Structure formats: C-alpha cells, structure tokens
C-alpha cells in the first residue's frame, strides 16, 4: 500500500512539474512576442517621419492599387518573411501566401510595411516589417533615390519611372522643345544645359560624403559638343566649362585649373585630336567675365610665372602642372591618340591631386593601338580599370536607334543630374501641339550607368515602362 502511494505521489509530482514547465515556456513565448510587438511599435513611434508632404505622397502612392505588385515584392525582400514562406511552401505551394501589403509609414531607416499573410490551417496573420533603405536618406530627393534602388533590386524597373515623377524632392522632368537636331542650338537650350552642369559641379565639390573626388567625370553628347558629328562647336564646350569654372571661383572662392592635353607621340608622329587642336588657344583668349578682379583672371604670363592670386588657371595634363593651392582641376576631353597615350599622365595627375576634385569632361580613354606596340594587349586591363574608376556626377546623352541613325532620329535621352541622382531614361515624343517632349520611362541605380541591354529593353518592350 505504501509503495502504491509513493508511486501515485511521484506521478502527481511529475504531472505538476510538466504543467509548471509548460506554463513557464508559454509565458516566455508570450513575453517574447510582447517584446517584439513593443519593439515594432517603438520603431514606429520614435523613428517615423511625420509632417512631410513628400512622405505622405509616397505612402499614398505605395498604397495605390497599381503598386500592389511592387509592395508584395518589397515585402518578400524581408529575409525573415521570405525564409518562413519558403519553409511553409517547401512540400506544397500555396500554404503560405502574402495576400496584401500596405505601407504603414516611413522612418529614417526604412519603409514600415504591414503584410497580410494567409497561412494554411491558421487564421490570417498580420506581419509588421521594417524594410531598410539601401542608401542614407537625408532629404526627400534621397528618399526617391532609395525607392528607385529598392524597386530595381526586386525586379520592378517598370515602377521606377512613376517613383521619380512623384511631386516631391528633385524634379526630373525635362523642358519642352529642346530640338537638339536644330543646330546651332537655341540660346535658352544652351543656357539650360550650362546651368544644369554648373548646379551639378557645385553640388559635387561641396558634398563631403563623396569618398574620392579625384575621380569624377561628366559626359554630354548633344550635337554641338559631340566631335563625332560635323555639328561640333568648340565654343559650346568651352562656354560650358567656363560657366563651371567661374561658378566655382566666384561663388566658392576656389582656385580652378582648366587643363587641355598637350600633343602626344614621338618624332614626326606627334599630334593631338582634331577636336582639341585649337582649344588651348581659344581658352586663353576667352572673356572670363566682369565679376572677378583683374588679378583673379588668367593672364598669358601665368604660363611662365604662375600667380597665387589667380583663381582661373590654364594648363596641360600631368602631375608637374598642378600647383599646391589648386582646389579644383577640370580636364577637357582627355583622349588617347594613335602613337600617344594620355592615361599615364592623367593617372599621375590624379595621384598628385591627393583627394582634390579632378573632373573629366567628356573623356575618351579607350585604347588606340598603333604599330609601335603602344596600347596593345599588355596593360589593357589596368587601363580599363583606371578609366572605369571615374564616377559620373552629371550626364546627358542622346539615344539613337540601334538599327542605324547618325544624328537622326533621336529616340530618347538618358540623364543624370547630380552625383546622388538616379540615371533617368526618357523617350522622345510629340505632344498635341507639335512640341518635342521627353517622357520619363524609368530610373536606374545612381552609381552604376544602365547597360545597353537595359536601355534597349525600355524601348522594345512596352511592359517595362507601364
């Protein structure tokens, strides 16, 4: 009898211990869930960006019916949700489905998303997600850029055009009636292009977040600055460079050195590209405006005896040309020639700049092989790596059909308005009044130019721009 009572007591104690342990585990799980919910709500309460018209416009846009596919893709970029979905759907698809997603807010760290999840055998559950931004967001323009990157990363390039057209931050719309095929270009067209280049160069020089300002470039190819066409006008290119240099000197008080490459080659093969043949002479004789003091302007004798008070300086390419007090170096259209290589001298100049801004305007650093074993296979990878190391901060390139077309017809344009702005592709159209319109098609990663295949897909596949 005593043995029976002992066994009964032991069994009762075992059951009590199991119930107590289960209760403790459930309490811990409940506590953990409560902590997670509190953490999510605290993120919303402490970091949500409120009171911004841009944020409200973005939330309204993302919660529209046309953006549900984008929102679902963004939600599935969350690693935890994606892994859970893959685990539930491993044996049978459809066990875990994200039904609908809603943008609940925008914080400094990312998008707050509520995802309605339908899990087989369970009631519908709501998941709160914080989707981090892929780049720092300091203002509404960078908010647009972050959304462009997020949409591109999940394969929704067709939504990027609508994102950059949102009514906040930087305006990426182009003016009407450029008429680039009318040469000479209209005065207002030139003024617009000069001002756009000036804005970009002022922004990039002042921006302290850029890691290496000694490797910057801008590329433009509209007919008056494109030496491949017979419409090339040396004055347009120099006027644009002059506007940039004067803005840096007058508004920022910086010393600007404008460089044109010297003749290259050996013996009777010494020469330089036709597009640069008289550029140095024209540059030295240009009018540098009335806002600078006489001592601050370039003088012919500066070639022999440099002056520290001169804010505008002119030189060639090479480390030996730079002065210790040069603040910004602008190099116009550096390019290799048959029998002569500019890359080595340019690289020496970049190294000697030691972090000071070096800006290439329309560089053409591809190899020009010659019979004297210059620019052959040896060292080609290093030369390409050097050319690719320069980061675009401004670009405006007209696009022509791949089936042919020299200057006609212009199919569209791709532009980058400043260092942190996305690349934006435009299609050239005509409105009901006969005016030339550049309509935004899509936007791309700010720091990587879109590939020719990506651009071609915008024009050949209408689904990519809906």
């Amino acid at each position: 009898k005593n043995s029976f009572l002992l066994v009964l007591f032991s069994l009762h104690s075992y059951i009590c211990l199991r119930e107590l342990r289960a209760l403790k585990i459930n309490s811990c799980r409940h506590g953990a869930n409560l902590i997670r919910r509190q953490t999510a709500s605290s993120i919303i309460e402490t970091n949500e960006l409120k009171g911004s018209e841009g944020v409200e416009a973005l939330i309204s846009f993302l919660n529209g019916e046309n953006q549900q596919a984008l929102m679902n893709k963004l939600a599935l970029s969350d690693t935890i949700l994606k892994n859970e979905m893959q685990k539930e759907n491993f044996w049978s698809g459809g066990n875990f489905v994200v039904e609908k997603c809603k943008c609940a807010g925008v914080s400094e760290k990312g998008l707050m998303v509520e995802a309605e999840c339908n899990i087989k055998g369970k009631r519908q559950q709501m998941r709160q997600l914080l989707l981090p931004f892929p780049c720092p967001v300091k203002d509404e323009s960078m908010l647009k850029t972050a959304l462009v990157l997020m949409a591109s990363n999940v394969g929704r390039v067709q939504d990027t055009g609508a994102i950059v057209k949102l009514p906040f931050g930087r305006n990426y719309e182009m003016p009407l009636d450029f008429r680039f095929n009318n040469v000479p270009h209209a005065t207002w067209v030139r003024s617009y292009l000069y001002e756009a280049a000036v804005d970009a160069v002022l922004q990039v020089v002042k921006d302290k977040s850029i890691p290496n300002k000694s490797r910057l470039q801008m590329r433009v190819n509209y007919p008056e600055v494109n030496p491949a066409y017979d419409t090339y006008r040396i004055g347009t290119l120099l006027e644009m460079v002059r506007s940039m240099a004067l803005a840096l000197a007058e508004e920022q008080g910086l010393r600007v050195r404008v460089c044109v490459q010297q003749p290259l080659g050996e013996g009777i093969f010494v020469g330089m590209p036709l597009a640069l043949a008289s550029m140095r002479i024209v540059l030295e004789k240009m009018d540098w405006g009335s806002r600078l003091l006489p001592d601050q302007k370039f003088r012919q004798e500066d070639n022999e005896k440099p002056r520290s008070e001169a804010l505008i300086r002119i030189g060639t390419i090479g480390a030996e040309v730079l002065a210790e007090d040069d603040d910004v170096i602008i190099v116009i259209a550096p390019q290799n020639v048959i029998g002569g290589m500019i890359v080595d001298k340019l690289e020496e100049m970049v190294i000697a700049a030691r972090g000071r801004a070096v800006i290439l305007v329309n560089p053409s650093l591809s190899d020009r092989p010659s019979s004297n074993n210059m620019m052959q296979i040896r060292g080609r990878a290093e030369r390409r790596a050097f050319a690719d190391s320069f980061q675009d901060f401004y670009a405006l390139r007209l696009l022509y059909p791949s089936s042919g077309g020299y200057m006609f017809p212009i199919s569209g344009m791709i532009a980058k308005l400043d260092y942190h702005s996305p690349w934006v592709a435009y299609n050239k159209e005509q409105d009901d009044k006969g005016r030339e319109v550049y309509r935004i098609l899509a936007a791309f990663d700010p720091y990587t130019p879109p590939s020719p295949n990506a651009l071609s897909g915008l024009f050949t596949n209408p689904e990519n721009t809906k």
Side-chain angles (χ1 to χ4, degrees):
K1 183 177 180 179
N2 291 335
S3 300
F4 175 75
L5 290 174
L6 183 61
V7 171
L8 185 63
F9 177 76
S10 300
L11 182 62
H12 177 70
S13 300
Y14 174 71
I15 293 172
C16 289
L17 286 171
R18 286 196 61 182
E19 290 179 352
L20 183 62
R21 186 180 178 189
L23 180 61
K24 185 176 180 181
I25 291 172
N26 288 334
S27 298
C28 291
R29 287 176 177 170
H30 175 72
N33 291 333
L34 182 61
I35 290 172
R36 279 196 290 269
R37 286 198 296 273
Q38 289 175 345
T39 302
S41 63
S42 66
I43 289 174
I44 294 174
E45 290 170 2
T46 58
N47 290 333
E48 189 172 6
L49 303 177
K50 297 180 179 179
S52 167
E53 293 182 3
V55 169
E56 295 301 324
L58 177 63
I59 293 173
S60 176
F61 167 77
L62 292 176
N63 291 334
E65 294 182 3
N66 296 333
Q67 307 308 323
Q68 190 54 226
L70 171 62
M71 287 300 298
N72 286 356
K73 285 279 191 179
L74 290 175
L76 290 176
S77 67
D78 181 77
T79 305
I80 297 176
L81 182 65
K82 185 178 180 180
N83 290 342
E84 185 180 359
M85 184 176 182
Q86 290 177 343
K87 182 179 178 181
E88 293 289 341
N89 293 334
F90 182 77
W91 294 109
S92 176
N95 288 336
F96 190 113
V97 179
V98 177
E99 294 287 350
K100 187 177 180 181
C101 295
K102 175 185 176 183
C103 180
V106 180
S107 79
E108 295 176 357
K109 296 181 179 179
L111 291 181
M112 299 167 186
V113 176
E114 295 178 350
E116 294 181 7
C117 302
N118 192 356
I119 306 173
K120 190 174 183 179
K122 301 179 183 179
R123 63 180 183 178
Q124 196 174 59
Q125 297 184 5
M126 181 72 72
R127 303 294 172 85
Q128 288 189 337
L129 311 173
L130 179 61
L131 307 180
F133 290 131
C135 62
V137 175
K138 300 177 182 177
D139 52 37
E140 292 184 345
S141 295
M142 287 303 296
L143 181 60
K144 270 186 182 181
T145 299
L147 262 292
V148 167
L149 283 170
M150 294 174 77
S152 300
N153 291 340
V154 297
R156 295 291 300 180
V157 177
Q158 59 267 45
D159 294 309
T160 57
I163 291 172
V164 296
K165 287 190 284 188
L166 289 172
F168 64 85
R170 176 126 201 187
N171 181 13
Y172 295 98
E173 300 284 352
M174 287 290 174
L176 297 173
D177 249 8
F178 269 129
R179 302 289 178 183
F180 281 117
N181 280 331
N182 289 349
V183 180
H185 300 329
T187 303
W188 77 264
V189 173
R190 290 180 187 164
S191 298
Y192 172 83
L193 297 172
Y194 300 164
E195 289 173 9
V198 167
D199 289 343
V201 78
L202 289 175
Q203 184 270 341
V204 78
V205 170
K206 290 188 293 185
D207 193 341
K208 296 181 180 179
S209 67
I210 299 173
N212 188 359
K213 294 184 181 180
S214 293
R215 296 175 185 265
L216 299 170
Q217 66 179 356
M218 59 179 295
R219 294 181 290 172
V220 292
N221 77 339
Y222 45 93
E224 282 195 355
V225 298
N226 192 341
Y229 299 159
D230 56 6
T231 55
Y232 174 69
R233 177 177 178 267
I234 192 173
T236 301
L237 183 58
L238 290 181
E239 286 167 4
M240 182 178 67
V241 171
R242 178 178 62 182
S243 298
M244 293 161 50
L246 286 176
L248 291 168
E250 294 171 355
E251 299 180 23
Q252 304 295 320
L254 300 176
R255 297 175 177 87
V256 183
R257 184 170 296 278
V258 182
C259 300
V260 180
Q261 76 182 55
Q262 58 273 37
L264 302 173
E266 297 178 357
I268 62 171
F269 298 105
V270 172
M272 65 189 310
L274 183 61
L276 303 177
S278 59
M279 185 171 289
R280 174 68 184 267
I281 299 173
V282 176
L283 188 64
E284 291 181 352
K285 294 183 178 181
M286 287 186 76
D287 180 7
W288 290 96
S290 58
R291 293 179 61 182
L292 292 179
L293 298 175
D295 287 343
Q296 295 175 329
K297 298 179 183 180
F298 172 80
R299 296 176 182 173
Q300 290 287 345
E301 56 267 25
D302 291 348
N303 291 326
E304 302 297 330
K305 188 178 180 181
R307 295 176 299 114
S308 60
E309 61 269 23
L311 298 184
I312 302 296
R313 296 125 182 242
I314 296 176
T316 55
I317 297 178
E320 69 282 356
V321 179
L322 297 185
E324 289 295 328
D325 58 350
D326 286 344
D327 296 311
V328 180
I329 300 97
I330 300 176
V331 184
I332 305 177
Q335 50 194 288
N336 296 311
V337 298
I338 296 177
M341 184 166 56
I342 197 63
V343 170
D344 289 344
K345 288 188 173 294
L346 191 58
E347 188 169 11
E348 292 170 2
M349 175 179 270
V350 168
I351 295 172
R354 297 193 303 275
R356 289 175 287 177
V358 176
I359 298 169
L360 309 187
V361 180
N362 282 0
S364 178
L365 302 179
S366 56
D367 283 354
R368 299 286 183 90
S370 60
S371 57
N372 62 350
N373 204 30
M374 181 78 70
M375 288 178 284
Q376 299 293 336
I377 300 299
R378 185 177 180 181
R380 181 168 296 173
E382 290 78 7
R383 292 191 295 273
R384 286 181 177 175
F386 173 73
D388 293 341
S389 68
F390 286 84
Q391 184 69 46
D392 292 283
F393 72 91
Y394 177 75
L396 193 150
R397 293 159 50 197
L398 301 180
L399 302 176
Y400 300 91
S402 58
S403 58
Y406 175 61
M407 287 177 59
F408 305 93
I410 298 172
S411 297
M413 175 202 302
I414 182 164
K416 179 177 172 61
L417 300 184
D418 62 57
Y419 186 87
H420 296 293
S421 290
W423 289 85
V424 181
Y426 302 81
N427 184 43
K428 186 171 79 76
E429 300 174 356
Q430 198 172 53
D431 65 8
D432 53 1
K433 296 182 179 180
R435 295 174 300 185
E436 193 175 84
V437 179
Y438 282 88
R439 180 176 65 87
I440 295 176
L441 295 179
F444 300 88
D445 185 337
Y447 312 112
T448 305
S451 67
N453 288 339
L455 290 175
S456 179
L458 296 177
F459 293 90
T460 57
N461 187 359
E463 293 295 323
N464 290 338
T465 57
K466 282 188 176 180

